[in-house]
């Protein structure tokens, strides 16, 4: 498996469906860390299938055998960095551009503005927009 942190939204569906328990997410001060231990991966492809943005892809590298004492050495990792909300400053995972492309079939000025807002600020902006 290969991982693209720029496309990940941190939904953790891949961790939930991983048959081998090979995927973990850890909250860190700077962001959300993704780790895939290749020796635990059973190559079922469920993580790729359920990933809504295509952040996980299948590679043709199937010869990943290694000794048990090296089990934590062969990993794929990535960090999705936190960013401040442009409305209130609260730290959040920004919306991945790939998710915007899939959800809205493109981007525009309004969509670009909303991707850096937290849930509460998006709701406030939406409510404020209805009153006008």
């Amino acid at each position: 498996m290969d991982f693209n942190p720029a496309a990940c939204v941190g939904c953790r569906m891949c961790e939930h469906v991983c048959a081998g328990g090979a995927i973990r997410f850890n909250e860190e001060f700077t962001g959300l860390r993704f780790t895939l231990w290749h020796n635990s991966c059973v190559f079922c492809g469920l993580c790729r299938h359920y990933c809504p943005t295509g952040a996980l892809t299948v590679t043709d590298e199937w010869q990943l055998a290694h000794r048990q004492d090296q089990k934590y050495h062969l990993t794929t990792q990535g960090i999705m960095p936190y960013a401040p909300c442009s409305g209130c400053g609260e730290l959040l995972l920004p919306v991945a551009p790939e998710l915007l492309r899939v959800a809205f079939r493109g981007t525009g000025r309004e969509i670009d503005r909303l991707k850096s807002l937290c849930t509460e600020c998006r709701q406030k902006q939406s409510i404020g927009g209805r009153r006008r």
Side-chain angles (χ1 to χ4, degrees), residues 24-28 30-35 77-80 82:
R24 294 280 185 269
F25 282 90
N26 294 4
E27 300 272 344
E28 296 184 356
T30 58
L32 185 63
R33 178 180 293 277
F34 168 91
T35 303
Q77 294 188 337
I79 294 182
M80 291 70 68
Y82 295 129

Side-chain angles (χ1 to χ4, degrees), residues 3 22 27 40 42-43 55 57-58 75-76 96 99 118 121 124 131:
F3 177 68
E27 300 272 344
S40 299
V42 296
F43 305 105
T57 55
V58 178
T75 63
T76 296
L99 181 61
C118 69
C121 289
K124 288 176 187 174
R131 292 180 190 165

Side-chain angles (χ1 to χ4, degrees), residues 79-106:
I79 294 182
M80 291 70 68
Y82 295 129
C85 170
S86 60
C88 66
E90 181 180 334
L91 291 180
L92 58 89
L93 276 177
V95 178
E98 184 62 22
L99 181 61
L100 291 174
R101 187 190 65 74
V102 169
F104 297 106
R105 296 188 181 137

Side-chain angles (χ1 to χ4, degrees), residues 1 8-9 14 20 36 38 53 63 68 76 79 84 98-99 111 116 125:
M1 302 303 296
C8 183
V9 295
C14 57
L36 168 68
H38 291 283
T53 62
Q63 296 176 332
Q68 181 66 13
T76 296
I79 294 182
E98 184 62 22
L99 181 61
I111 294 169
S116 63
Q125 298 245 346

